[in-house]
Amino acid sequence: MDLKSGYPFWAVKNGLMSAFPAVKADLKCDVVVIGGGITGALIADELITSGFATVVVEQRDIGWGSTSASTALLQYEIDTHLLDLVKWYGEENGVMAYQGCSDAINALAELVSEVGDVDFARQQSLYFASQPEDENTLHNEFKLRHKHGFKADWLAANAVRERYGLLSSGAILTHHAARIDPYRMTYRLLERLVTRGGQVFDRTTIEAITTHENGVTLRTEEGVKISCQYVVLAAGYASQKWLQQKVAKNLSTYAFITDPMDADTLGALTTTMMWESARPYLYFRCTGEGRLLVGGEDDDIDIPTKRDARVEKKCQKLINRIADIFPNFELKPTFSWAGTFAETADGLPFFGPHEQHGPRVLFAMAYGGNGITYSMIGAKLLREQIQGRQHKLAQLFSFERLS
Ligand SMILES: Cc1cc2nc3c(=O)[nH]c(=O)nc-3n(C[C@H](O)[C@H](O)[C@H](O)COP(=O)(O)OP(=O)(O)OC[C@H]3O[C@@H](n4cnc5c(N)ncnc54)[C@H](O)[C@@H]3O)c2cc1C
């Protein structure tokens, strides 16, 4: 599956940070994680910390899937409003999902403090009304979040204009968000895994998964067998290939990044990431070097050849949108790219077993705009599942909600 087009910035900036071998001989372990992206790395880290002999297997190079294309805004406010989650799944579940994402940002911050140097920074997040008609919904969303203790302010049109130079009829300013270099974080976690006795193999494709009563056997493209107790399928947007049931829809999404800009020009953007109420939404944030990273312009379907051809045109549309908002910016994109992106119908991820494969094959489908925060939740959720315990979000994030 071709996951990206153009030049994803993180891979260009960081290059191949470490070399890992391909698997050559049969081996045994407790858990195999299929997929060396940010999801696989976070899960493998959680497993090895809990004492499981863990092996990560990646068909490309580490971090070379969607992780290298990610714009990596870390937010607890997910693409689906709390208002909608409460309507569909009840107040307790909706709040639990939002709280889980909020906790995940803190858990990521803690991990970063251990591995270091991944361009992580705490940020604020401004969610602004794209059109006056959206103001009421956003205000109701703010009130519901406020009621449940999520730290945020409501900014009326004047305040949005004064503080951010943005024309909008209202916005939610959230105080709990962050940014990260997801590619670097993936390498840091997997390098640490190896120092803790785990194994990482790249250029190794898993072709078959066979479950039996006491374990699972995996076969690589070269015919090497890996035996384990559990498999975690953290294969990103390719995970759907292992399921007959369609659980998500693939889209294409676009992004570009500028050269570093000075702090005076960037103003509030140095501390505040922004996104809007329209769907698909425009979003933007700064990197630690002062580069502006902008994303959006999603296509409703993902056809890699069309996506490849559209990168430049979509990038120009993103530039025009930013120029409308911040006419003083001189925007010169240094790199632009596109990536596959998957969405579930309700914006929530899937973590856990599917009846097609039984209890030993655990899916990690961190789908949606908050894929990375979801992956952090999934790491803890799946580790608890393997330990025979039930995480509080296990039921809501399971495939059961599809029935
Ligand atoms: C442009 C863009 C912007 C985004 N912005 C954000 C954002 O702002 N915030 C956020 O939280 N999320 C964002 N996301 C989503 C986020 O990037 C993803 O959730 C995350 O990168 C997915 O990581 P992953 O490890 O699950 O998938 P991947 O990085 O794709 O890793 C899965 C890996 O599995 C490997 N694999 C697949 N099949 C096999 C096999 N059979 N054998 C061996 N290996 C296999 C693949 O090669 C791949 O490397 C964005 C995504 C894109 C594309």
Side-chain angles (χ1 to χ4, degrees), residues 3 34-39 57-60 65-67 69-73 204-206 234-237 253 283 340-341 366 369-372:
L3 291 166
I34 303 177
I38 185 73
T39 309
V57 182
E58 166 57 50
Q59 70 185 359
R60 303 180 171 93
S66 312
T67 297
S70 182
T71 45
L73 286 74
T204 302
T205 304
I206 298 298
Y237 305 133
T253 185
Y283 59 96
T340 305
F341 184 72
N370 292 62
I372 300 171

PDB file of all heavy atoms in Angstrom, residues 3 34-39 57-60 65-67 69-73 204-206 234-237 253 283 340-341 366 369-372, ligand 1:
ATOM      1  N   LEU A   3       1.511   4.832   0.860  1.00  0.00           N
ATOM      2  CA  LEU A   3       0.885   5.667   1.894  1.00  0.00           C
ATOM      3  C   LEU A   3       1.127   7.155   1.741  1.00  0.00           C
ATOM      4  O   LEU A   3       0.499   7.960   2.421  1.00  0.00           O
ATOM      5  CB  LEU A   3       1.380   5.229   3.279  1.00  0.00           C
ATOM      6  CG  LEU A   3       0.898   3.862   3.764  1.00  0.00           C
ATOM      7  CD1 LEU A   3       1.710   3.407   4.958  1.00  0.00           C
ATOM      8  CD2 LEU A   3      -0.574   3.900   4.122  1.00  0.00           C
ATOM      9  N   ILE A  34       3.345  -5.871  14.543  1.00  0.00           N
ATOM     10  CA  ILE A  34       3.527  -5.696  13.093  1.00  0.00           C
ATOM     11  C   ILE A  34       3.335  -4.219  12.781  1.00  0.00           C
ATOM     12  O   ILE A  34       2.253  -3.667  12.984  1.00  0.00           O
ATOM     13  CB  ILE A  34       2.520  -6.543  12.282  1.00  0.00           C
ATOM     14  CG1 ILE A  34       2.636  -8.024  12.657  1.00  0.00           C
ATOM     15  CG2 ILE A  34       2.728  -6.341  10.779  1.00  0.00           C
ATOM     16  CD1 ILE A  34       1.615  -8.918  11.953  1.00  0.00           C
ATOM     17  N   GLY A  35       4.400  -3.561  12.319  1.00  0.00           N
ATOM     18  CA  GLY A  35       4.323  -2.142  11.981  1.00  0.00           C
ATOM     19  C   GLY A  35       5.274  -1.314  12.822  1.00  0.00           C
ATOM     20  O   GLY A  35       5.151  -1.257  14.051  1.00  0.00           O
ATOM     21  N   GLY A  36       6.227  -0.673  12.157  1.00  0.00           N
ATOM     22  CA  GLY A  36       7.214   0.164  12.851  1.00  0.00           C
ATOM     23  C   GLY A  36       6.932   1.627  12.641  1.00  0.00           C
ATOM     24  O   GLY A  36       7.816   2.401  12.265  1.00  0.00           O
ATOM     25  N   GLY A  37       5.683   2.038  12.867  1.00  0.00           N
ATOM     26  CA  GLY A  37       5.329   3.463  12.873  1.00  0.00           C
ATOM     27  C   GLY A  37       5.187   3.904  14.324  1.00  0.00           C
ATOM     28  O   GLY A  37       5.541   3.168  15.252  1.00  0.00           O
ATOM     29  N   ILE A  38       4.626   5.105  14.520  1.00  0.00           N
ATOM     30  CA  ILE A  38       4.489   5.634  15.883  1.00  0.00           C
ATOM     31  C   ILE A  38       3.592   4.730  16.737  1.00  0.00           C
ATOM     32  O   ILE A  38       3.860   4.535  17.937  1.00  0.00           O
ATOM     33  CB  ILE A  38       3.981   7.114  15.865  1.00  0.00           C
ATOM     34  CG1 ILE A  38       3.959   7.724  17.257  1.00  0.00           C
ATOM     35  CG2 ILE A  38       2.604   7.244  15.242  1.00  0.00           C
ATOM     36  CD1 ILE A  38       5.272   8.059  17.838  1.00  0.00           C
ATOM     37  N   THR A  39       2.558   4.140  16.132  1.00  0.00           N
ATOM     38  CA  THR A  39       1.662   3.276  16.920  1.00  0.00           C
ATOM     39  C   THR A  39       2.412   2.045  17.412  1.00  0.00           C
ATOM     40  O   THR A  39       2.383   1.709  18.598  1.00  0.00           O
ATOM     41  CB  THR A  39       0.437   2.839  16.067  1.00  0.00           C
ATOM     42  OG1 THR A  39      -0.144   3.998  15.495  1.00  0.00           O
ATOM     43  CG2 THR A  39      -0.590   2.104  16.889  1.00  0.00           C
ATOM     44  N   VAL A  57       8.205  -5.770  13.751  1.00  0.00           N
ATOM     45  CA  VAL A  57       8.527  -6.139  12.375  1.00  0.00           C
ATOM     46  C   VAL A  57       7.947  -5.092  11.426  1.00  0.00           C
ATOM     47  O   VAL A  57       6.754  -4.789  11.490  1.00  0.00           O
ATOM     48  CB  VAL A  57       7.928  -7.520  12.028  1.00  0.00           C
ATOM     49  CG1 VAL A  57       8.315  -7.927  10.622  1.00  0.00           C
ATOM     50  CG2 VAL A  57       8.396  -8.565  13.012  1.00  0.00           C
ATOM     51  N   GLU A  58       8.785  -4.541  10.569  1.00  0.00           N
ATOM     52  CA  GLU A  58       8.360  -3.457   9.659  1.00  0.00           C
ATOM     53  C   GLU A  58       8.739  -3.827   8.221  1.00  0.00           C
ATOM     54  O   GLU A  58       9.870  -4.215   7.961  1.00  0.00           O
ATOM     55  CB  GLU A  58       9.030  -2.145  10.089  1.00  0.00           C
ATOM     56  CG  GLU A  58       8.975  -1.016   9.070  1.00  0.00           C
ATOM     57  CD  GLU A  58       7.561  -0.640   8.636  1.00  0.00           C
ATOM     58  OE1 GLU A  58       6.710  -0.431   9.498  1.00  0.00           O
ATOM     59  OE2 GLU A  58       7.324  -0.570   7.399  1.00  0.00           O
ATOM     60  N   GLN A  59       7.799  -3.665   7.318  1.00  0.00           N
ATOM     61  CA  GLN A  59       8.095  -4.070   5.930  1.00  0.00           C
ATOM     62  C   GLN A  59       8.973  -3.062   5.176  1.00  0.00           C
ATOM     63  O   GLN A  59       9.673  -3.421   4.257  1.00  0.00           O
ATOM     64  CB  GLN A  59       6.794  -4.318   5.159  1.00  0.00           C
ATOM     65  CG  GLN A  59       5.995  -3.068   4.876  1.00  0.00           C
ATOM     66  CD  GLN A  59       4.648  -3.342   4.227  1.00  0.00           C
ATOM     67  OE1 GLN A  59       4.311  -4.479   3.966  1.00  0.00           O
ATOM     68  NE2 GLN A  59       3.903  -2.298   3.975  1.00  0.00           N
ATOM     69  N   ARG A  60       8.872  -1.783   5.573  1.00  0.00           N
ATOM     70  CA  ARG A  60       9.723  -0.769   4.920  1.00  0.00           C
ATOM     71  C   ARG A  60      10.868  -0.441   5.876  1.00  0.00           C
ATOM     72  O   ARG A  60      11.371  -1.309   6.557  1.00  0.00           O
ATOM     73  CB  ARG A  60       8.918   0.499   4.672  1.00  0.00           C
ATOM     74  CG  ARG A  60       7.659   0.326   3.850  1.00  0.00           C
ATOM     75  CD  ARG A  60       6.986   1.681   3.693  1.00  0.00           C
ATOM     76  NE  ARG A  60       5.889   1.645   2.745  1.00  0.00           N
ATOM     77  CZ  ARG A  60       4.617   1.423   3.076  1.00  0.00           C
ATOM     78  NH1 ARG A  60       4.274   1.212   4.322  1.00  0.00           N
ATOM     79  NH2 ARG A  60       3.673   1.410   2.149  1.00  0.00           N
ATOM     80  N   GLY A  65       6.065   4.889   7.014  1.00  0.00           N
ATOM     81  CA  GLY A  65       4.651   4.871   6.603  1.00  0.00           C
ATOM     82  C   GLY A  65       4.019   6.230   6.856  1.00  0.00           C
ATOM     83  O   GLY A  65       4.661   7.278   6.657  1.00  0.00           O
ATOM     84  N   SER A  66       2.778   6.244   7.312  1.00  0.00           N
ATOM     85  CA  SER A  66       2.067   7.511   7.545  1.00  0.00           C
ATOM     86  C   SER A  66       2.763   8.369   8.578  1.00  0.00           C
ATOM     87  O   SER A  66       2.614   9.605   8.569  1.00  0.00           O
ATOM     88  CB  SER A  66       0.664   7.247   8.070  1.00  0.00           C
ATOM     89  OG  SER A  66       0.039   6.291   7.316  1.00  0.00           O
ATOM     90  N   THR A  67       3.503   7.744   9.472  1.00  0.00           N
ATOM     91  CA  THR A  67       4.180   8.497  10.528  1.00  0.00           C
ATOM     92  C   THR A  67       5.068   9.597   9.957  1.00  0.00           C
ATOM     93  O   THR A  67       5.143  10.702  10.504  1.00  0.00           O
ATOM     94  CB  THR A  67       4.985   7.514  11.409  1.00  0.00           C
ATOM     95  OG1 THR A  67       4.040   6.638  12.028  1.00  0.00           O
ATOM     96  CG2 THR A  67       5.818   8.217  12.458  1.00  0.00           C
ATOM     97  N   ALA A  69       4.553  11.260   7.360  1.00  0.00           N
ATOM     98  CA  ALA A  69       3.730  12.299   6.717  1.00  0.00           C
ATOM     99  C   ALA A  69       2.908  13.102   7.724  1.00  0.00           C
ATOM    100  O   ALA A  69       2.323  14.121   7.383  1.00  0.00           O
ATOM    101  CB  ALA A  69       2.789  11.651   5.706  1.00  0.00           C
ATOM    102  N   SER A  70       2.896  12.655   8.964  1.00  0.00           N
ATOM    103  CA  SER A  70       1.985  13.244   9.954  1.00  0.00           C
ATOM    104  C   SER A  70       2.369  14.682  10.320  1.00  0.00           C
ATOM    105  O   SER A  70       3.555  15.000  10.436  1.00  0.00           O
ATOM    106  CB  SER A  70       2.006  12.391  11.219  1.00  0.00           C
ATOM    107  OG  SER A  70       1.114  12.911  12.160  1.00  0.00           O
ATOM    108  N   THR A  71       1.368  15.515  10.533  1.00  0.00           N
ATOM    109  CA  THR A  71       1.659  16.877  10.983  1.00  0.00           C
ATOM    110  C   THR A  71       1.765  16.946  12.512  1.00  0.00           C
ATOM    111  O   THR A  71       2.236  17.939  13.062  1.00  0.00           O
ATOM    112  CB  THR A  71       0.568  17.853  10.488  1.00  0.00           C
ATOM    113  OG1 THR A  71      -0.687  17.241  10.731  1.00  0.00           O
ATOM    114  CG2 THR A  71       0.720  18.119   9.011  1.00  0.00           C
ATOM    115  N   ALA A  72       1.271  15.886  13.163  1.00  0.00           N
ATOM    116  CA  ALA A  72       1.532  15.640  14.590  1.00  0.00           C
ATOM    117  C   ALA A  72       1.136  16.757  15.550  1.00  0.00           C
ATOM    118  O   ALA A  72       1.934  17.207  16.357  1.00  0.00           O
ATOM    119  CB  ALA A  72       2.997  15.250  14.775  1.00  0.00           C
ATOM    120  N   LEU A  73      -0.087  17.203  15.423  1.00  0.00           N
ATOM    121  CA  LEU A  73      -0.686  18.031  16.466  1.00  0.00           C
ATOM    122  C   LEU A  73      -1.231  17.048  17.499  1.00  0.00           C
ATOM    123  O   LEU A  73      -1.907  16.075  17.130  1.00  0.00           O
ATOM    124  CB  LEU A  73      -1.866  18.858  15.914  1.00  0.00           C
ATOM    125  CG  LEU A  73      -1.564  20.067  15.021  1.00  0.00           C
ATOM    126  CD1 LEU A  73      -1.124  19.638  13.633  1.00  0.00           C
ATOM    127  CD2 LEU A  73      -2.802  20.925  14.884  1.00  0.00           C
ATOM    128  N   THR A 204      11.020  -6.373   6.471  1.00  0.00           N
ATOM    129  CA  THR A 204      10.484  -7.711   6.732  1.00  0.00           C
ATOM    130  C   THR A 204       8.961  -7.637   6.679  1.00  0.00           C
ATOM    131  O   THR A 204       8.350  -6.963   7.519  1.00  0.00           O
ATOM    132  CB  THR A 204      10.930  -8.188   8.141  1.00  0.00           C
ATOM    133  OG1 THR A 204      12.359  -8.186   8.185  1.00  0.00           O
ATOM    134  CG2 THR A 204      10.408  -9.576   8.447  1.00  0.00           C
ATOM    135  N   THR A 205       8.390  -8.306   5.675  1.00  0.00           N
ATOM    136  CA  THR A 205       6.930  -8.242   5.513  1.00  0.00           C
ATOM    137  C   THR A 205       6.273  -9.492   6.083  1.00  0.00           C
ATOM    138  O   THR A 205       6.686 -10.605   5.762  1.00  0.00           O
ATOM    139  CB  THR A 205       6.572  -8.148   4.011  1.00  0.00           C
ATOM    140  OG1 THR A 205       7.254  -7.023   3.468  1.00  0.00           O
ATOM    141  CG2 THR A 205       5.084  -8.002   3.780  1.00  0.00           C
ATOM    142  N   ILE A 206       5.265  -9.296   6.915  1.00  0.00           N
ATOM    143  CA  ILE A 206       4.483 -10.445   7.408  1.00  0.00           C
ATOM    144  C   ILE A 206       3.421 -10.760   6.359  1.00  0.00           C
ATOM    145  O   ILE A 206       2.624  -9.893   5.981  1.00  0.00           O
ATOM    146  CB  ILE A 206       3.818 -10.128   8.776  1.00  0.00           C
ATOM    147  CG1 ILE A 206       4.880  -9.833   9.829  1.00  0.00           C
ATOM    148  CG2 ILE A 206       2.894 -11.277   9.199  1.00  0.00           C
ATOM    149  CD1 ILE A 206       5.843 -10.960  10.152  1.00  0.00           C
ATOM    150  N   ALA A 234      -0.279  -3.318  14.201  1.00  0.00           N
ATOM    151  CA  ALA A 234      -0.168  -1.847  14.161  1.00  0.00           C
ATOM    152  C   ALA A 234       0.288  -1.466  12.759  1.00  0.00           C
ATOM    153  O   ALA A 234       1.256  -0.724  12.587  1.00  0.00           O
ATOM    154  CB  ALA A 234       0.808  -1.371  15.223  1.00  0.00           C
ATOM    155  N   ALA A 235      -0.411  -1.994  11.778  1.00  0.00           N
ATOM    156  CA  ALA A 235       0.000  -1.837  10.375  1.00  0.00           C
ATOM    157  C   ALA A 235      -0.576  -0.582   9.747  1.00  0.00           C
ATOM    158  O   ALA A 235      -0.626  -0.447   8.526  1.00  0.00           O
ATOM    159  CB  ALA A 235      -0.410  -3.075   9.590  1.00  0.00           C
ATOM    160  N   GLY A 236      -1.025   0.357  10.574  1.00  0.00           N
ATOM    161  CA  GLY A 236      -1.527   1.636  10.067  1.00  0.00           C
ATOM    162  C   GLY A 236      -2.739   1.424   9.171  1.00  0.00           C
ATOM    163  O   GLY A 236      -3.599   0.571   9.429  1.00  0.00           O
ATOM    164  N   TYR A 237      -2.769   2.187   8.084  1.00  0.00           N
ATOM    165  CA  TYR A 237      -3.947   2.129   7.218  1.00  0.00           C
ATOM    166  C   TYR A 237      -3.986   0.848   6.376  1.00  0.00           C
ATOM    167  O   TYR A 237      -4.961   0.590   5.683  1.00  0.00           O
ATOM    168  CB  TYR A 237      -4.017   3.395   6.357  1.00  0.00           C
ATOM    169  CG  TYR A 237      -3.989   4.653   7.211  1.00  0.00           C
ATOM    170  CD1 TYR A 237      -3.160   5.723   6.908  1.00  0.00           C
ATOM    171  CD2 TYR A 237      -4.778   4.739   8.357  1.00  0.00           C
ATOM    172  CE1 TYR A 237      -3.131   6.865   7.715  1.00  0.00           C
ATOM    173  CE2 TYR A 237      -4.745   5.860   9.174  1.00  0.00           C
ATOM    174  CZ  TYR A 237      -3.917   6.920   8.849  1.00  0.00           C
ATOM    175  OH  TYR A 237      -3.883   8.026   9.657  1.00  0.00           O
ATOM    176  N   THR A 253      -4.884  13.249   2.240  1.00  0.00           N
ATOM    177  CA  THR A 253      -4.777  14.553   2.883  1.00  0.00           C
ATOM    178  C   THR A 253      -3.443  15.195   2.508  1.00  0.00           C
ATOM    179  O   THR A 253      -2.509  14.495   2.109  1.00  0.00           O
ATOM    180  CB  THR A 253      -4.971  14.431   4.407  1.00  0.00           C
ATOM    181  OG1 THR A 253      -4.966  15.729   4.986  1.00  0.00           O
ATOM    182  CG2 THR A 253      -3.904  13.580   5.068  1.00  0.00           C
ATOM    183  N   TYR A 283      -5.710  23.271   9.125  1.00  0.00           N
ATOM    184  CA  TYR A 283      -5.063  23.355  10.438  1.00  0.00           C
ATOM    185  C   TYR A 283      -3.606  23.737  10.263  1.00  0.00           C
ATOM    186  O   TYR A 283      -3.018  23.500   9.202  1.00  0.00           O
ATOM    187  CB  TYR A 283      -5.208  22.018  11.203  1.00  0.00           C
ATOM    188  CG  TYR A 283      -4.602  20.846  10.484  1.00  0.00           C
ATOM    189  CD1 TYR A 283      -3.318  20.408  10.784  1.00  0.00           C
ATOM    190  CD2 TYR A 283      -5.298  20.175   9.495  1.00  0.00           C
ATOM    191  CE1 TYR A 283      -2.747  19.336  10.116  1.00  0.00           C
ATOM    192  CE2 TYR A 283      -4.741  19.105   8.813  1.00  0.00           C
ATOM    193  CZ  TYR A 283      -3.472  18.694   9.133  1.00  0.00           C
ATOM    194  OH  TYR A 283      -2.911  17.645   8.459  1.00  0.00           O
ATOM    195  N   THR A 340      -2.067   9.023   2.813  1.00  0.00           N
ATOM    196  CA  THR A 340      -3.325   8.328   3.074  1.00  0.00           C
ATOM    197  C   THR A 340      -3.712   8.635   4.508  1.00  0.00           C
ATOM    198  O   THR A 340      -2.856   8.796   5.378  1.00  0.00           O
ATOM    199  CB  THR A 340      -3.138   6.803   2.941  1.00  0.00           C
ATOM    200  OG1 THR A 340      -2.597   6.534   1.668  1.00  0.00           O
ATOM    201  CG2 THR A 340      -4.443   6.051   3.136  1.00  0.00           C
ATOM    202  N   PHE A 341      -4.991   8.680   4.727  1.00  0.00           N
ATOM    203  CA  PHE A 341      -5.523   9.006   6.038  1.00  0.00           C
ATOM    204  C   PHE A 341      -6.816   8.208   6.152  1.00  0.00           C
ATOM    205  O   PHE A 341      -7.539   8.108   5.176  1.00  0.00           O
ATOM    206  CB  PHE A 341      -5.794  10.518   6.040  1.00  0.00           C
ATOM    207  CG  PHE A 341      -6.263  11.056   7.338  1.00  0.00           C
ATOM    208  CD1 PHE A 341      -5.382  11.166   8.394  1.00  0.00           C
ATOM    209  CD2 PHE A 341      -7.583  11.454   7.522  1.00  0.00           C
ATOM    210  CE1 PHE A 341      -5.797  11.681   9.605  1.00  0.00           C
ATOM    211  CE2 PHE A 341      -8.005  11.969   8.726  1.00  0.00           C
ATOM    212  CZ  PHE A 341      -7.109  12.087   9.766  1.00  0.00           C
ATOM    213  N   ALA A 366      -5.473   3.215  14.980  1.00  0.00           N
ATOM    214  CA  ALA A 366      -5.551   4.545  15.610  1.00  0.00           C
ATOM    215  C   ALA A 366      -6.016   5.557  14.568  1.00  0.00           C
ATOM    216  O   ALA A 366      -5.312   6.518  14.275  1.00  0.00           O
ATOM    217  CB  ALA A 366      -4.183   4.913  16.169  1.00  0.00           C
ATOM    218  N   GLY A 369      -8.100  12.066  13.008  1.00  0.00           N
ATOM    219  CA  GLY A 369      -7.186  13.216  13.078  1.00  0.00           C
ATOM    220  C   GLY A 369      -6.286  13.210  14.305  1.00  0.00           C
ATOM    221  O   GLY A 369      -5.290  13.905  14.348  1.00  0.00           O
ATOM    222  N   ASN A 370      -6.665  12.428  15.314  1.00  0.00           N
ATOM    223  CA  ASN A 370      -5.861  12.374  16.541  1.00  0.00           C
ATOM    224  C   ASN A 370      -5.166  11.033  16.669  1.00  0.00           C
ATOM    225  O   ASN A 370      -5.057  10.471  17.764  1.00  0.00           O
ATOM    226  CB  ASN A 370      -6.749  12.585  17.768  1.00  0.00           C
ATOM    227  CG  ASN A 370      -7.283  13.973  17.814  1.00  0.00           C
ATOM    228  OD1 ASN A 370      -8.007  14.367  16.900  1.00  0.00           O
ATOM    229  ND2 ASN A 370      -6.897  14.720  18.803  1.00  0.00           N
ATOM    230  N   GLY A 371      -4.683  10.533  15.533  1.00  0.00           N
ATOM    231  CA  GLY A 371      -4.110   9.188  15.503  1.00  0.00           C
ATOM    232  C   GLY A 371      -3.051   8.961  16.579  1.00  0.00           C
ATOM    233  O   GLY A 371      -3.007   7.897  17.202  1.00  0.00           O
ATOM    234  N   ILE A 372      -2.219   9.968  16.819  1.00  0.00           N
ATOM    235  CA  ILE A 372      -1.093   9.737  17.739  1.00  0.00           C
ATOM    236  C   ILE A 372      -1.559   9.683  19.195  1.00  0.00           C
ATOM    237  O   ILE A 372      -1.105   8.830  19.959  1.00  0.00           O
ATOM    238  CB  ILE A 372       0.002  10.807  17.518  1.00  0.00           C
ATOM    239  CG1 ILE A 372       0.497  10.714  16.068  1.00  0.00           C
ATOM    240  CG2 ILE A 372       1.150  10.623  18.498  1.00  0.00           C
ATOM    241  CD1 ILE A 372       1.406  11.835  15.628  1.00  0.00           C
TER     242      ILE A 372
HETATM  243  C1  LIG B   1      -0.817  14.246   6.415  1.00  0.00           C
HETATM  244  C2  LIG B   1      -1.208  13.629   7.721  1.00  0.00           C
HETATM  245  C3  LIG B   1      -1.428  14.462   8.811  1.00  0.00           C
HETATM  246  C4  LIG B   1      -1.743  13.918  10.063  1.00  0.00           C
HETATM  247  N1  LIG B   1      -1.869  14.750  11.117  1.00  0.00           N
HETATM  248  C5  LIG B   1      -2.045  14.249  12.364  1.00  0.00           C
HETATM  249  C6  LIG B   1      -2.068  15.105  13.487  1.00  0.00           C
HETATM  250  O1  LIG B   1      -1.945  16.308  13.364  1.00  0.00           O
HETATM  251  N2  LIG B   1      -2.205  14.549  14.715  1.00  0.00           N
HETATM  252  C7  LIG B   1      -2.329  13.189  14.888  1.00  0.00           C
HETATM  253  O2  LIG B   1      -2.451  12.736  16.032  1.00  0.00           O
HETATM  254  N3  LIG B   1      -2.352  12.359  13.820  1.00  0.00           N
HETATM  255  C8  LIG B   1      -2.217  12.854  12.579  1.00  0.00           C
HETATM  256  N4  LIG B   1      -2.205  12.029  11.493  1.00  0.00           N
HETATM  257  C9  LIG B   1      -2.437  10.617  11.713  1.00  0.00           C
HETATM  258  C10 LIG B   1      -1.186   9.962  12.244  1.00  0.00           C
HETATM  259  O3  LIG B   1      -0.101  10.372  11.472  1.00  0.00           O
HETATM  260  C11 LIG B   1      -1.345   8.477  12.167  1.00  0.00           C
HETATM  261  O4  LIG B   1      -2.352   8.103  13.083  1.00  0.00           O
HETATM  262  C12 LIG B   1      -0.081   7.752  12.542  1.00  0.00           C
HETATM  263  O5  LIG B   1       1.035   8.205  11.848  1.00  0.00           O
HETATM  264  C13 LIG B   1      -0.296   6.295  12.220  1.00  0.00           C
HETATM  265  O6  LIG B   1       0.817   5.625  12.689  1.00  0.00           O
HETATM  266  P1  LIG B   1       0.857   4.060  12.518  1.00  0.00           P
HETATM  267  O7  LIG B   1       2.082   3.605  13.173  1.00  0.00           O
HETATM  268  O8  LIG B   1      -0.438   3.493  12.976  1.00  0.00           O
HETATM  269  O9  LIG B   1       0.904   3.874  10.946  1.00  0.00           O
HETATM  270  P2  LIG B   1       2.182   3.915   9.983  1.00  0.00           P
HETATM  271  O10 LIG B   1       3.098   5.007  10.307  1.00  0.00           O
HETATM  272  O11 LIG B   1       1.670   3.834   8.583  1.00  0.00           O
HETATM  273  O12 LIG B   1       2.917   2.577  10.382  1.00  0.00           O
HETATM  274  C14 LIG B   1       2.399   1.297  10.044  1.00  0.00           C
HETATM  275  C15 LIG B   1       3.545   0.508   9.499  1.00  0.00           C
HETATM  276  O13 LIG B   1       3.124  -0.837   9.290  1.00  0.00           O
HETATM  277  C16 LIG B   1       3.911  -1.343   8.223  1.00  0.00           C
HETATM  278  N5  LIG B   1       3.241  -2.552   7.731  1.00  0.00           N
HETATM  279  C17 LIG B   1       2.022  -2.638   7.157  1.00  0.00           C
HETATM  280  N6  LIG B   1       1.763  -3.934   6.817  1.00  0.00           N
HETATM  281  C18 LIG B   1       2.839  -4.655   7.184  1.00  0.00           C
HETATM  282  C19 LIG B   1       3.185  -6.037   7.094  1.00  0.00           C
HETATM  283  N7  LIG B   1       2.338  -6.936   6.556  1.00  0.00           N
HETATM  284  N8  LIG B   1       4.395  -6.453   7.559  1.00  0.00           N
HETATM  285  C20 LIG B   1       5.259  -5.563   8.115  1.00  0.00           C
HETATM  286  N9  LIG B   1       4.985  -4.244   8.227  1.00  0.00           N
HETATM  287  C21 LIG B   1       3.791  -3.788   7.774  1.00  0.00           C
HETATM  288  C22 LIG B   1       3.921  -0.193   7.227  1.00  0.00           C
HETATM  289  O14 LIG B   1       5.017  -0.295   6.341  1.00  0.00           O
HETATM  290  C23 LIG B   1       4.009   1.026   8.134  1.00  0.00           C
HETATM  291  O15 LIG B   1       5.329   1.541   8.265  1.00  0.00           O
HETATM  292  C24 LIG B   1      -1.895  12.513  10.213  1.00  0.00           C
HETATM  293  C25 LIG B   1      -1.707  11.680   9.110  1.00  0.00           C
HETATM  294  C26 LIG B   1      -1.359  12.219   7.879  1.00  0.00           C
HETATM  295  C27 LIG B   1      -1.139  11.293   6.726  1.00  0.00           C
END
